[in-house]
Every structure is written in C-alpha cells, then in structure tokens.
Amino acid sequence: AQKITQTQPGMFVQEKEAVTLDCTYDTSDPSYGLFWYKQPSSGEMIFLIYQGSYDQQNATEGRYSLNFQKARKSANLVISASQLGDSAMYFCAMRGNFNKFYFGSGTKLNVKP
Amino acid sequence: DAGITQSPRHKVTETGTPVTLRCHQTENHRYMYWYRQDPGHGLRLIHYSYGVKDTDKGEVSDGYSVSRSKTEDFLLTLESATSSQTSVYFCAISPATGYTDSYEQYFGPGTRLTVT
C-alpha cells in the first residue's frame, strides 16, 4: 500500500532559524518520486521541491532542501533561514505507479517574528 | 503559471442534488486529477485521467464519477450530493509520461462545495 505520513500537525519556528518538516513514506514500487508542496492561507498549492527515488544527491531549491534517506523511507523538508512568509501548510507527496499521487495530512508551520 | 481553471469556485447545494465541477486546462497535459481536501486528511485522490476517455479510481471514489471527452476538460460529478461531500475540491494536471519523471502536478485554484 502507498502511504505518506506526516507526524507533525503543527510547528513553530523563530524567524531566521532552520526548520525540518518530517515525512515518511511506504511503497513497494521500485521507482517513485517525492514532492513537497506549500499551501498558504490563500489556498493555492505551490510546488517546492522534487526528489527521485534513484537520485543519489539530496535535492535543493534555494532555501529548501530535501533530506532523502531511502533506507529509512524518509523525505524530510528542511527550510533554512525561515521567513514570515513561510507560514503555511506543507504537504509531502509521493508519485507512485500509474502516476498516482499520494499526499500526507500536512504540517502547519508558523514562523514567529 | 499553469493554465488551469476550475468552475464554479464556490457552490452551495442541497443534499440529493447532482453537482458537476469542471476543470479546464490550456497546457495540453496528459494527466488530470481530482482531489478533495479535508482538515486532517490532506489531499485525497478521487479520480484521475491518463488520456481522453481514459480514467481510473483513486482512494475515495465512492459517490463520484468523472468524464474526459476532450484533452482540456475533466468533469467531476456528484450524482446525488451528501453532506459528507462538503469539501474543497482541487483539480491538478501533470505532463508526466512515466513515473520516473520529475514532473510535478500543477493545481487549479480549488472549488469550495457545501452540501446542506
């Protein structure tokens, strides 16, 4: 069964500090993709970062990096130097077989000034 | 921005009435998806399409049907709406042709549906 688990319903971080959002996944597919999306209070879904299951290096996109540990089936999102605009819901997602996507329940991040 | 629109953006309907939500894309992408978003559940896949007239069920497909007669349009129908179908519905598209692709999904703005 395909499943994404985000165990942190809500988190606080001080502005300018780094924060890690946890994501674990379960799949039997040999090849898959892992994604993180941001959903601000306005409601739109914004793509942040992608990691392929065969990628040897962790993905990075500006202040976002994905800490991919394949053996542990984890794909944590690290946001460096948090900004007030980072306050939002964050969803981890996995693309599996037949191009179906599976989403976690999300983590609400609050950045404190 | 990916060209995805959803209509209507907001709808209030009564239990037992049929409802159709429309997703329209201008990107000519192969894959289209319908999700519902509920607090504590994230996004859950209802149905998806991998081409014209090619559709398949997601994890919460009961009570929903879909149709795709043109590449650009993907319709979601609630045959007889129930209060449990009150939710925010998102359409998404993806150009992916294989599951090793890095293509992400692009999301529409969402439709807020309330069933009274």
Side-chain angles (χ1 to χ4, degrees), chain A residues 31 35 37 39 43 45 47 50 91 95 97-101 103-105, chain B residues 31 33 35 37 40 42-43 48 57 90 99-105:
Chain A
S31 179
F35 302 79
Y37 288 85
Q39 186 180 42
M45 294 289 288
F47 165 73
Y50 163 81
F91 292 100
R95 184 182 61 231
N97 210 3
F98 304 112
N99 278 309
K100 285 187 176 181
F101 282 73
F103 283 78
S105 56
Chain B
Y31 282 83
Y33 306 79
Y35 294 91
Q37 183 177 21
L43 277 78
Y48 73 110
K57 296 179 180 180
F90 283 97
Y99 49 75
T100 58
D101 291 341
S102 64
Y103 295 116
E104 69 271 26
Q105 292 183 313

PDB file of all heavy atoms in Angstrom, chain A residues 31 35 37 39 43 45 47 50 91 95 97-101 103-105, chain B residues 31 33 35 37 40 42-43 48 57 90 99-105:
ATOM      1  N   SER A  31      10.352   2.390  -8.268  1.00  0.00           N
ATOM      2  CA  SER A  31      10.661   3.738  -8.696  1.00  0.00           C
ATOM      3  C   SER A  31       9.518   4.668  -8.308  1.00  0.00           C
ATOM      4  O   SER A  31       8.344   4.333  -8.504  1.00  0.00           O
ATOM      5  CB  SER A  31      10.871   3.777 -10.216  1.00  0.00           C
ATOM      6  OG  SER A  31      11.159   5.079 -10.645  1.00  0.00           O
ATOM      7  N   PHE A  35       7.679  14.695  -3.426  1.00  0.00           N
ATOM      8  CA  PHE A  35       7.439  16.116  -3.655  1.00  0.00           C
ATOM      9  C   PHE A  35       7.039  16.789  -2.349  1.00  0.00           C
ATOM     10  O   PHE A  35       6.465  16.163  -1.460  1.00  0.00           O
ATOM     11  CB  PHE A  35       6.279  16.321  -4.648  1.00  0.00           C
ATOM     12  CG  PHE A  35       6.481  15.677  -5.987  1.00  0.00           C
ATOM     13  CD1 PHE A  35       6.276  14.323  -6.165  1.00  0.00           C
ATOM     14  CD2 PHE A  35       6.853  16.444  -7.077  1.00  0.00           C
ATOM     15  CE1 PHE A  35       6.459  13.726  -7.408  1.00  0.00           C
ATOM     16  CE2 PHE A  35       7.031  15.861  -8.323  1.00  0.00           C
ATOM     17  CZ  PHE A  35       6.830  14.505  -8.478  1.00  0.00           C
ATOM     18  N   TYR A  37       4.871  20.357  -1.239  1.00  0.00           N
ATOM     19  CA  TYR A  37       4.048  21.484  -1.668  1.00  0.00           C
ATOM     20  C   TYR A  37       3.769  22.385  -0.476  1.00  0.00           C
ATOM     21  O   TYR A  37       3.669  21.931   0.663  1.00  0.00           O
ATOM     22  CB  TYR A  37       2.712  21.006  -2.239  1.00  0.00           C
ATOM     23  CG  TYR A  37       2.810  20.345  -3.592  1.00  0.00           C
ATOM     24  CD1 TYR A  37       3.120  18.999  -3.702  1.00  0.00           C
ATOM     25  CD2 TYR A  37       2.595  21.072  -4.756  1.00  0.00           C
ATOM     26  CE1 TYR A  37       3.214  18.386  -4.947  1.00  0.00           C
ATOM     27  CE2 TYR A  37       2.677  20.473  -6.002  1.00  0.00           C
ATOM     28  CZ  TYR A  37       2.990  19.128  -6.082  1.00  0.00           C
ATOM     29  OH  TYR A  37       3.079  18.533  -7.319  1.00  0.00           O
ATOM     30  N   GLN A  39       1.025  25.293   0.976  1.00  0.00           N
ATOM     31  CA  GLN A  39      -0.303  25.861   0.804  1.00  0.00           C
ATOM     32  C   GLN A  39      -0.487  27.017   1.777  1.00  0.00           C
ATOM     33  O   GLN A  39      -0.757  26.822   2.958  1.00  0.00           O
ATOM     34  CB  GLN A  39      -1.399  24.812   1.021  1.00  0.00           C
ATOM     35  CG  GLN A  39      -2.791  25.341   0.693  1.00  0.00           C
ATOM     36  CD  GLN A  39      -3.879  24.299   0.902  1.00  0.00           C
ATOM     37  OE1 GLN A  39      -3.871  23.555   1.883  1.00  0.00           O
ATOM     38  NE2 GLN A  39      -4.821  24.232  -0.041  1.00  0.00           N
ATOM     39  N   GLY A  43      -4.816  29.472  -0.057  1.00  0.00           N
ATOM     40  CA  GLY A  43      -5.371  28.223  -0.560  1.00  0.00           C
ATOM     41  C   GLY A  43      -4.699  27.572  -1.747  1.00  0.00           C
ATOM     42  O   GLY A  43      -4.944  26.397  -2.018  1.00  0.00           O
ATOM     43  N   MET A  45      -1.925  25.716  -4.101  1.00  0.00           N
ATOM     44  CA  MET A  45      -0.890  24.713  -3.879  1.00  0.00           C
ATOM     45  C   MET A  45       0.338  25.105  -4.695  1.00  0.00           C
ATOM     46  O   MET A  45       0.258  25.258  -5.914  1.00  0.00           O
ATOM     47  CB  MET A  45      -1.378  23.332  -4.317  1.00  0.00           C
ATOM     48  CG  MET A  45      -2.527  22.793  -3.487  1.00  0.00           C
ATOM     49  SD  MET A  45      -2.014  22.321  -1.833  1.00  0.00           S
ATOM     50  CE  MET A  45      -1.080  20.847  -2.186  1.00  0.00           C
ATOM     51  N   PHE A  47       4.264  24.167  -5.689  1.00  0.00           N
ATOM     52  CA  PHE A  47       5.319  23.154  -5.725  1.00  0.00           C
ATOM     53  C   PHE A  47       6.617  23.738  -5.193  1.00  0.00           C
ATOM     54  O   PHE A  47       7.014  24.851  -5.559  1.00  0.00           O
ATOM     55  CB  PHE A  47       5.507  22.660  -7.152  1.00  0.00           C
ATOM     56  CG  PHE A  47       6.780  21.900  -7.370  1.00  0.00           C
ATOM     57  CD1 PHE A  47       6.920  20.619  -6.874  1.00  0.00           C
ATOM     58  CD2 PHE A  47       7.828  22.466  -8.071  1.00  0.00           C
ATOM     59  CE1 PHE A  47       8.087  19.907  -7.070  1.00  0.00           C
ATOM     60  CE2 PHE A  47       9.001  21.764  -8.280  1.00  0.00           C
ATOM     61  CZ  PHE A  47       9.138  20.490  -7.777  1.00  0.00           C
ATOM     62  N   TYR A  50      11.457  18.501  -5.560  1.00  0.00           N
ATOM     63  CA  TYR A  50      11.250  17.122  -6.019  1.00  0.00           C
ATOM     64  C   TYR A  50      12.508  16.288  -5.765  1.00  0.00           C
ATOM     65  O   TYR A  50      13.638  16.774  -5.904  1.00  0.00           O
ATOM     66  CB  TYR A  50      10.939  17.122  -7.517  1.00  0.00           C
ATOM     67  CG  TYR A  50      11.120  15.770  -8.175  1.00  0.00           C
ATOM     68  CD1 TYR A  50      10.116  14.804  -8.088  1.00  0.00           C
ATOM     69  CD2 TYR A  50      12.294  15.453  -8.865  1.00  0.00           C
ATOM     70  CE1 TYR A  50      10.282  13.558  -8.674  1.00  0.00           C
ATOM     71  CE2 TYR A  50      12.462  14.214  -9.452  1.00  0.00           C
ATOM     72  CZ  TYR A  50      11.454  13.269  -9.359  1.00  0.00           C
ATOM     73  OH  TYR A  50      11.616  12.036  -9.938  1.00  0.00           O
ATOM     74  N   PHE A  91       2.740  20.065   2.549  1.00  0.00           N
ATOM     75  CA  PHE A  91       2.335  18.698   2.246  1.00  0.00           C
ATOM     76  C   PHE A  91       3.462  17.942   1.555  1.00  0.00           C
ATOM     77  O   PHE A  91       4.068  18.443   0.607  1.00  0.00           O
ATOM     78  CB  PHE A  91       1.099  18.688   1.327  1.00  0.00           C
ATOM     79  CG  PHE A  91      -0.148  19.204   1.985  1.00  0.00           C
ATOM     80  CD1 PHE A  91      -0.566  20.499   1.756  1.00  0.00           C
ATOM     81  CD2 PHE A  91      -0.894  18.394   2.815  1.00  0.00           C
ATOM     82  CE1 PHE A  91      -1.721  20.992   2.359  1.00  0.00           C
ATOM     83  CE2 PHE A  91      -2.048  18.856   3.414  1.00  0.00           C
ATOM     84  CZ  PHE A  91      -2.458  20.167   3.191  1.00  0.00           C
ATOM     85  N   ARG A  95       4.666  10.289  -5.873  1.00  0.00           N
ATOM     86  CA  ARG A  95       4.109   9.774  -7.124  1.00  0.00           C
ATOM     87  C   ARG A  95       4.541   8.326  -7.265  1.00  0.00           C
ATOM     88  O   ARG A  95       5.730   8.021  -7.261  1.00  0.00           O
ATOM     89  CB  ARG A  95       4.561  10.574  -8.332  1.00  0.00           C
ATOM     90  CG  ARG A  95       3.870  10.072  -9.618  1.00  0.00           C
ATOM     91  CD  ARG A  95       4.313  10.799 -10.851  1.00  0.00           C
ATOM     92  NE  ARG A  95       5.723  10.645 -11.076  1.00  0.00           N
ATOM     93  CZ  ARG A  95       6.557  11.657 -11.303  1.00  0.00           C
ATOM     94  NH1 ARG A  95       6.114  12.890 -11.329  1.00  0.00           N
ATOM     95  NH2 ARG A  95       7.817  11.434 -11.492  1.00  0.00           N
ATOM     96  N   ASN A  97       3.142   4.229  -8.834  1.00  0.00           N
ATOM     97  CA  ASN A  97       2.787   3.537 -10.060  1.00  0.00           C
ATOM     98  C   ASN A  97       1.555   4.156 -10.719  1.00  0.00           C
ATOM     99  O   ASN A  97       0.670   4.678 -10.022  1.00  0.00           O
ATOM    100  CB  ASN A  97       2.522   2.068  -9.743  1.00  0.00           C
ATOM    101  CG  ASN A  97       2.858   1.173 -10.903  1.00  0.00           C
ATOM    102  OD1 ASN A  97       3.343   1.633 -11.932  1.00  0.00           O
ATOM    103  ND2 ASN A  97       2.594  -0.108 -10.743  1.00  0.00           N
ATOM    104  N   PHE A  98       1.515   4.129 -12.019  1.00  0.00           N
ATOM    105  CA  PHE A  98       0.401   4.679 -12.808  1.00  0.00           C
ATOM    106  C   PHE A  98       0.267   6.188 -12.629  1.00  0.00           C
ATOM    107  O   PHE A  98      -0.796   6.752 -12.849  1.00  0.00           O
ATOM    108  CB  PHE A  98      -0.920   3.988 -12.468  1.00  0.00           C
ATOM    109  CG  PHE A  98      -0.892   2.504 -12.633  1.00  0.00           C
ATOM    110  CD1 PHE A  98      -0.969   1.677 -11.531  1.00  0.00           C
ATOM    111  CD2 PHE A  98      -0.755   1.933 -13.885  1.00  0.00           C
ATOM    112  CE1 PHE A  98      -0.924   0.300 -11.675  1.00  0.00           C
ATOM    113  CE2 PHE A  98      -0.699   0.552 -14.037  1.00  0.00           C
ATOM    114  CZ  PHE A  98      -0.794  -0.268 -12.915  1.00  0.00           C
ATOM    115  N   ASN A  99       1.315   6.832 -12.179  1.00  0.00           N
ATOM    116  CA  ASN A  99       1.314   8.278 -11.963  1.00  0.00           C
ATOM    117  C   ASN A  99       0.239   8.738 -10.994  1.00  0.00           C
ATOM    118  O   ASN A  99      -0.290   9.844 -11.115  1.00  0.00           O
ATOM    119  CB  ASN A  99       1.191   9.029 -13.288  1.00  0.00           C
ATOM    120  CG  ASN A  99       2.523   9.156 -13.969  1.00  0.00           C
ATOM    121  OD1 ASN A  99       3.492   9.589 -13.360  1.00  0.00           O
ATOM    122  ND2 ASN A  99       2.590   8.765 -15.223  1.00  0.00           N
ATOM    123  N   LYS A 100      -0.094   7.916 -10.041  1.00  0.00           N
ATOM    124  CA  LYS A 100      -0.975   8.339  -8.956  1.00  0.00           C
ATOM    125  C   LYS A 100      -0.147   9.053  -7.899  1.00  0.00           C
ATOM    126  O   LYS A 100       0.981   8.667  -7.613  1.00  0.00           O
ATOM    127  CB  LYS A 100      -1.640   7.121  -8.315  1.00  0.00           C
ATOM    128  CG  LYS A 100      -2.752   6.504  -9.136  1.00  0.00           C
ATOM    129  CD  LYS A 100      -3.429   5.416  -8.323  1.00  0.00           C
ATOM    130  CE  LYS A 100      -4.606   4.828  -9.053  1.00  0.00           C
ATOM    131  NZ  LYS A 100      -5.290   3.776  -8.259  1.00  0.00           N
ATOM    132  N   PHE A 101      -0.733  10.095  -7.332  1.00  0.00           N
ATOM    133  CA  PHE A 101      -0.072  10.858  -6.279  1.00  0.00           C
ATOM    134  C   PHE A 101      -0.763  10.584  -4.945  1.00  0.00           C
ATOM    135  O   PHE A 101      -1.989  10.488  -4.877  1.00  0.00           O
ATOM    136  CB  PHE A 101      -0.137  12.356  -6.578  1.00  0.00           C
ATOM    137  CG  PHE A 101       0.855  12.819  -7.599  1.00  0.00           C
ATOM    138  CD1 PHE A 101       0.695  12.521  -8.939  1.00  0.00           C
ATOM    139  CD2 PHE A 101       1.967  13.556  -7.220  1.00  0.00           C
ATOM    140  CE1 PHE A 101       1.601  12.945  -9.884  1.00  0.00           C
ATOM    141  CE2 PHE A 101       2.886  13.994  -8.163  1.00  0.00           C
ATOM    142  CZ  PHE A 101       2.708  13.687  -9.493  1.00  0.00           C
ATOM    143  N   PHE A 103      -0.793  11.986  -0.854  1.00  0.00           N
ATOM    144  CA  PHE A 103      -0.412  13.116  -0.021  1.00  0.00           C
ATOM    145  C   PHE A 103      -0.489  12.772   1.458  1.00  0.00           C
ATOM    146  O   PHE A 103      -1.324  11.961   1.884  1.00  0.00           O
ATOM    147  CB  PHE A 103      -1.343  14.304  -0.289  1.00  0.00           C
ATOM    148  CG  PHE A 103      -1.046  15.029  -1.570  1.00  0.00           C
ATOM    149  CD1 PHE A 103      -1.457  14.513  -2.788  1.00  0.00           C
ATOM    150  CD2 PHE A 103      -0.358  16.230  -1.552  1.00  0.00           C
ATOM    151  CE1 PHE A 103      -1.174  15.173  -3.974  1.00  0.00           C
ATOM    152  CE2 PHE A 103      -0.079  16.903  -2.732  1.00  0.00           C
ATOM    153  CZ  PHE A 103      -0.481  16.368  -3.941  1.00  0.00           C
ATOM    154  N   GLY A 104       0.386  13.392   2.243  1.00  0.00           N
ATOM    155  CA  GLY A 104       0.277  13.314   3.680  1.00  0.00           C
ATOM    156  C   GLY A 104      -0.780  14.278   4.188  1.00  0.00           C
ATOM    157  O   GLY A 104      -1.357  15.051   3.421  1.00  0.00           O
ATOM    158  N   SER A 105      -1.012  14.240   5.490  1.00  0.00           N
ATOM    159  CA  SER A 105      -2.057  15.080   6.090  1.00  0.00           C
ATOM    160  C   SER A 105      -1.607  16.521   6.332  1.00  0.00           C
ATOM    161  O   SER A 105      -2.428  17.368   6.669  1.00  0.00           O
ATOM    162  CB  SER A 105      -2.532  14.464   7.403  1.00  0.00           C
ATOM    163  OG  SER A 105      -1.439  14.268   8.272  1.00  0.00           O
TER     164      SER A 105
ATOM    165  N   TYR B  31      -2.145  14.009 -18.076  1.00  0.00           N
ATOM    166  CA  TYR B  31      -2.779  13.556 -16.837  1.00  0.00           C
ATOM    167  C   TYR B  31      -3.584  14.679 -16.187  1.00  0.00           C
ATOM    168  O   TYR B  31      -3.123  15.816 -16.079  1.00  0.00           O
ATOM    169  CB  TYR B  31      -1.713  13.073 -15.845  1.00  0.00           C
ATOM    170  CG  TYR B  31      -1.174  11.707 -16.143  1.00  0.00           C
ATOM    171  CD1 TYR B  31      -0.160  11.533 -17.078  1.00  0.00           C
ATOM    172  CD2 TYR B  31      -1.691  10.588 -15.494  1.00  0.00           C
ATOM    173  CE1 TYR B  31       0.332  10.264 -17.357  1.00  0.00           C
ATOM    174  CE2 TYR B  31      -1.200   9.318 -15.766  1.00  0.00           C
ATOM    175  CZ  TYR B  31      -0.192   9.165 -16.695  1.00  0.00           C
ATOM    176  OH  TYR B  31       0.288   7.911 -16.967  1.00  0.00           O
ATOM    177  N   TYR B  33      -6.273  15.210 -12.623  1.00  0.00           N
ATOM    178  CA  TYR B  33      -6.625  14.595 -11.354  1.00  0.00           C
ATOM    179  C   TYR B  33      -7.693  15.426 -10.639  1.00  0.00           C
ATOM    180  O   TYR B  33      -7.709  16.647 -10.749  1.00  0.00           O
ATOM    181  CB  TYR B  33      -5.410  14.536 -10.416  1.00  0.00           C
ATOM    182  CG  TYR B  33      -4.175  13.871 -10.980  1.00  0.00           C
ATOM    183  CD1 TYR B  33      -3.331  14.542 -11.854  1.00  0.00           C
ATOM    184  CD2 TYR B  33      -3.825  12.580 -10.591  1.00  0.00           C
ATOM    185  CE1 TYR B  33      -2.184  13.945 -12.350  1.00  0.00           C
ATOM    186  CE2 TYR B  33      -2.672  11.967 -11.075  1.00  0.00           C
ATOM    187  CZ  TYR B  33      -1.856  12.653 -11.950  1.00  0.00           C
ATOM    188  OH  TYR B  33      -0.721  12.050 -12.437  1.00  0.00           O
ATOM    189  N   TYR B  35      -8.976  15.910  -6.620  1.00  0.00           N
ATOM    190  CA  TYR B  35      -8.733  15.644  -5.213  1.00  0.00           C
ATOM    191  C   TYR B  35      -9.800  16.346  -4.382  1.00  0.00           C
ATOM    192  O   TYR B  35     -10.363  17.343  -4.790  1.00  0.00           O
ATOM    193  CB  TYR B  35      -7.375  16.206  -4.760  1.00  0.00           C
ATOM    194  CG  TYR B  35      -6.173  15.567  -5.369  1.00  0.00           C
ATOM    195  CD1 TYR B  35      -5.616  16.058  -6.541  1.00  0.00           C
ATOM    196  CD2 TYR B  35      -5.559  14.479  -4.755  1.00  0.00           C
ATOM    197  CE1 TYR B  35      -4.498  15.478  -7.087  1.00  0.00           C
ATOM    198  CE2 TYR B  35      -4.431  13.889  -5.296  1.00  0.00           C
ATOM    199  CZ  TYR B  35      -3.908  14.398  -6.464  1.00  0.00           C
ATOM    200  OH  TYR B  35      -2.790  13.815  -7.012  1.00  0.00           O
ATOM    201  N   GLN B  37      -9.938  18.019  -0.384  1.00  0.00           N
ATOM    202  CA  GLN B  37      -9.116  18.384   0.759  1.00  0.00           C
ATOM    203  C   GLN B  37     -10.002  18.613   1.965  1.00  0.00           C
ATOM    204  O   GLN B  37     -10.890  19.470   1.941  1.00  0.00           O
ATOM    205  CB  GLN B  37      -8.280  19.643   0.488  1.00  0.00           C
ATOM    206  CG  GLN B  37      -7.375  19.985   1.665  1.00  0.00           C
ATOM    207  CD  GLN B  37      -6.487  21.177   1.414  1.00  0.00           C
ATOM    208  OE1 GLN B  37      -6.750  22.014   0.565  1.00  0.00           O
ATOM    209  NE2 GLN B  37      -5.389  21.251   2.156  1.00  0.00           N
ATOM    210  N   GLY B  40      -7.178  17.535   8.375  1.00  0.00           N
ATOM    211  CA  GLY B  40      -6.644  16.308   8.958  1.00  0.00           C
ATOM    212  C   GLY B  40      -6.381  15.195   7.966  1.00  0.00           C
ATOM    213  O   GLY B  40      -5.830  14.159   8.330  1.00  0.00           O
ATOM    214  N   GLY B  42      -5.319  15.965   4.487  1.00  0.00           N
ATOM    215  CA  GLY B  42      -4.537  16.385   3.333  1.00  0.00           C
ATOM    216  C   GLY B  42      -5.377  16.316   2.076  1.00  0.00           C
ATOM    217  O   GLY B  42      -6.591  16.553   2.102  1.00  0.00           O
ATOM    218  N   LEU B  43      -4.746  15.963   0.977  1.00  0.00           N
ATOM    219  CA  LEU B  43      -5.454  15.815  -0.286  1.00  0.00           C
ATOM    220  C   LEU B  43      -5.621  14.327  -0.568  1.00  0.00           C
ATOM    221  O   LEU B  43      -4.667  13.559  -0.479  1.00  0.00           O
ATOM    222  CB  LEU B  43      -4.675  16.465  -1.441  1.00  0.00           C
ATOM    223  CG  LEU B  43      -4.850  17.963  -1.609  1.00  0.00           C
ATOM    224  CD1 LEU B  43      -4.008  18.710  -0.586  1.00  0.00           C
ATOM    225  CD2 LEU B  43      -4.456  18.384  -3.011  1.00  0.00           C
ATOM    226  N   TYR B  48      -8.662  10.001 -11.512  1.00  0.00           N
ATOM    227  CA  TYR B  48      -7.717  10.669 -12.379  1.00  0.00           C
ATOM    228  C   TYR B  48      -7.884  10.160 -13.805  1.00  0.00           C
ATOM    229  O   TYR B  48      -8.548   9.142 -14.049  1.00  0.00           O
ATOM    230  CB  TYR B  48      -6.272  10.486 -11.889  1.00  0.00           C
ATOM    231  CG  TYR B  48      -5.688   9.114 -12.089  1.00  0.00           C
ATOM    232  CD1 TYR B  48      -4.684   8.894 -13.025  1.00  0.00           C
ATOM    233  CD2 TYR B  48      -6.109   8.032 -11.312  1.00  0.00           C
ATOM    234  CE1 TYR B  48      -4.129   7.648 -13.192  1.00  0.00           C
ATOM    235  CE2 TYR B  48      -5.563   6.783 -11.472  1.00  0.00           C
ATOM    236  CZ  TYR B  48      -4.563   6.595 -12.412  1.00  0.00           C
ATOM    237  OH  TYR B  48      -4.016   5.348 -12.582  1.00  0.00           O
ATOM    238  N   LYS B  57      -9.962   5.053 -10.824  1.00  0.00           N
ATOM    239  CA  LYS B  57     -10.380   5.474  -9.498  1.00  0.00           C
ATOM    240  C   LYS B  57      -9.196   5.779  -8.606  1.00  0.00           C
ATOM    241  O   LYS B  57      -8.126   5.195  -8.733  1.00  0.00           O
ATOM    242  CB  LYS B  57     -11.207   4.356  -8.849  1.00  0.00           C
ATOM    243  CG  LYS B  57     -12.510   4.059  -9.558  1.00  0.00           C
ATOM    244  CD  LYS B  57     -13.245   2.925  -8.848  1.00  0.00           C
ATOM    245  CE  LYS B  57     -14.561   2.617  -9.541  1.00  0.00           C
ATOM    246  NZ  LYS B  57     -15.286   1.507  -8.868  1.00  0.00           N
ATOM    247  N   PHE B  90      -9.878  20.116  -5.543  1.00  0.00           N
ATOM    248  CA  PHE B  90      -8.783  20.610  -6.370  1.00  0.00           C
ATOM    249  C   PHE B  90      -8.632  19.736  -7.603  1.00  0.00           C
ATOM    250  O   PHE B  90      -8.660  18.502  -7.526  1.00  0.00           O
ATOM    251  CB  PHE B  90      -7.458  20.591  -5.608  1.00  0.00           C
ATOM    252  CG  PHE B  90      -7.294  21.712  -4.626  1.00  0.00           C
ATOM    253  CD1 PHE B  90      -7.572  21.527  -3.287  1.00  0.00           C
ATOM    254  CD2 PHE B  90      -6.841  22.961  -5.048  1.00  0.00           C
ATOM    255  CE1 PHE B  90      -7.417  22.554  -2.382  1.00  0.00           C
ATOM    256  CE2 PHE B  90      -6.677  23.995  -4.144  1.00  0.00           C
ATOM    257  CZ  PHE B  90      -6.970  23.786  -2.815  1.00  0.00           C
ATOM    258  N   TYR B  99       6.710   7.195 -14.471  1.00  0.00           N
ATOM    259  CA  TYR B  99       6.819   7.561 -13.061  1.00  0.00           C
ATOM    260  C   TYR B  99       8.236   7.810 -12.598  1.00  0.00           C
ATOM    261  O   TYR B  99       8.485   7.998 -11.425  1.00  0.00           O
ATOM    262  CB  TYR B  99       6.104   6.545 -12.170  1.00  0.00           C
ATOM    263  CG  TYR B  99       6.413   5.090 -12.415  1.00  0.00           C
ATOM    264  CD1 TYR B  99       7.602   4.519 -12.017  1.00  0.00           C
ATOM    265  CD2 TYR B  99       5.474   4.286 -13.053  1.00  0.00           C
ATOM    266  CE1 TYR B  99       7.862   3.192 -12.245  1.00  0.00           C
ATOM    267  CE2 TYR B  99       5.733   2.953 -13.281  1.00  0.00           C
ATOM    268  CZ  TYR B  99       6.933   2.398 -12.881  1.00  0.00           C
ATOM    269  OH  TYR B  99       7.190   1.086 -13.100  1.00  0.00           O
ATOM    270  N   THR B 100       9.163   7.848 -13.520  1.00  0.00           N
ATOM    271  CA  THR B 100      10.489   8.315 -13.146  1.00  0.00           C
ATOM    272  C   THR B 100      10.667   9.784 -13.501  1.00  0.00           C
ATOM    273  O   THR B 100      11.703  10.364 -13.240  1.00  0.00           O
ATOM    274  CB  THR B 100      11.584   7.498 -13.855  1.00  0.00           C
ATOM    275  OG1 THR B 100      11.379   7.598 -15.271  1.00  0.00           O
ATOM    276  CG2 THR B 100      11.516   6.043 -13.439  1.00  0.00           C
ATOM    277  N   ASP B 101       9.635  10.369 -14.106  1.00  0.00           N
ATOM    278  CA  ASP B 101       9.742  11.765 -14.481  1.00  0.00           C
ATOM    279  C   ASP B 101       9.728  12.655 -13.249  1.00  0.00           C
ATOM    280  O   ASP B 101       9.155  12.312 -12.228  1.00  0.00           O
ATOM    281  CB  ASP B 101       8.576  12.177 -15.382  1.00  0.00           C
ATOM    282  CG  ASP B 101       8.664  11.519 -16.743  1.00  0.00           C
ATOM    283  OD1 ASP B 101       9.757  11.057 -17.099  1.00  0.00           O
ATOM    284  OD2 ASP B 101       7.649  11.467 -17.432  1.00  0.00           O
ATOM    285  N   SER B 102      10.311  13.821 -13.408  1.00  0.00           N
ATOM    286  CA  SER B 102      10.333  14.761 -12.297  1.00  0.00           C
ATOM    287  C   SER B 102       9.154  15.715 -12.343  1.00  0.00           C
ATOM    288  O   SER B 102       9.037  16.588 -11.497  1.00  0.00           O
ATOM    289  CB  SER B 102      11.631  15.571 -12.327  1.00  0.00           C
ATOM    290  OG  SER B 102      11.676  16.356 -13.507  1.00  0.00           O
ATOM    291  N   TYR B 103       8.274  15.532 -13.298  1.00  0.00           N
ATOM    292  CA  TYR B 103       7.201  16.498 -13.434  1.00  0.00           C
ATOM    293  C   TYR B 103       6.279  16.470 -12.221  1.00  0.00           C
ATOM    294  O   TYR B 103       5.774  15.436 -11.842  1.00  0.00           O
ATOM    295  CB  TYR B 103       6.369  16.201 -14.684  1.00  0.00           C
ATOM    296  CG  TYR B 103       7.142  16.367 -15.967  1.00  0.00           C
ATOM    297  CD1 TYR B 103       7.379  15.290 -16.800  1.00  0.00           C
ATOM    298  CD2 TYR B 103       7.617  17.612 -16.346  1.00  0.00           C
ATOM    299  CE1 TYR B 103       8.076  15.440 -17.979  1.00  0.00           C
ATOM    300  CE2 TYR B 103       8.322  17.773 -17.524  1.00  0.00           C
ATOM    301  CZ  TYR B 103       8.552  16.676 -18.328  1.00  0.00           C
ATOM    302  OH  TYR B 103       9.245  16.827 -19.495  1.00  0.00           O
ATOM    303  N   GLU B 104       6.075  17.673 -11.701  1.00  0.00           N
ATOM    304  CA  GLU B 104       5.155  17.769 -10.568  1.00  0.00           C
ATOM    305  C   GLU B 104       3.750  17.963 -11.088  1.00  0.00           C
ATOM    306  O   GLU B 104       3.499  18.015 -12.291  1.00  0.00           O
ATOM    307  CB  GLU B 104       5.550  18.945  -9.668  1.00  0.00           C
ATOM    308  CG  GLU B 104       5.324  20.323 -10.281  1.00  0.00           C
ATOM    309  CD  GLU B 104       6.528  20.808 -11.069  1.00  0.00           C
ATOM    310  OE1 GLU B 104       7.308  19.970 -11.552  1.00  0.00           O
ATOM    311  OE2 GLU B 104       6.659  22.031 -11.211  1.00  0.00           O
ATOM    312  N   GLN B 105       2.815  18.075 -10.174  1.00  0.00           N
ATOM    313  CA  GLN B 105       1.450  18.421 -10.530  1.00  0.00           C
ATOM    314  C   GLN B 105       1.277  19.925 -10.404  1.00  0.00           C
ATOM    315  O   GLN B 105       1.848  20.554  -9.516  1.00  0.00           O
ATOM    316  CB  GLN B 105       0.457  17.740  -9.591  1.00  0.00           C
ATOM    317  CG  GLN B 105       0.405  16.238  -9.746  1.00  0.00           C
ATOM    318  CD  GLN B 105      -0.645  15.641  -8.839  1.00  0.00           C
ATOM    319  OE1 GLN B 105      -0.739  15.943  -7.671  1.00  0.00           O
ATOM    320  NE2 GLN B 105      -1.458  14.752  -9.389  1.00  0.00           N
TER     321      GLN B 105
END
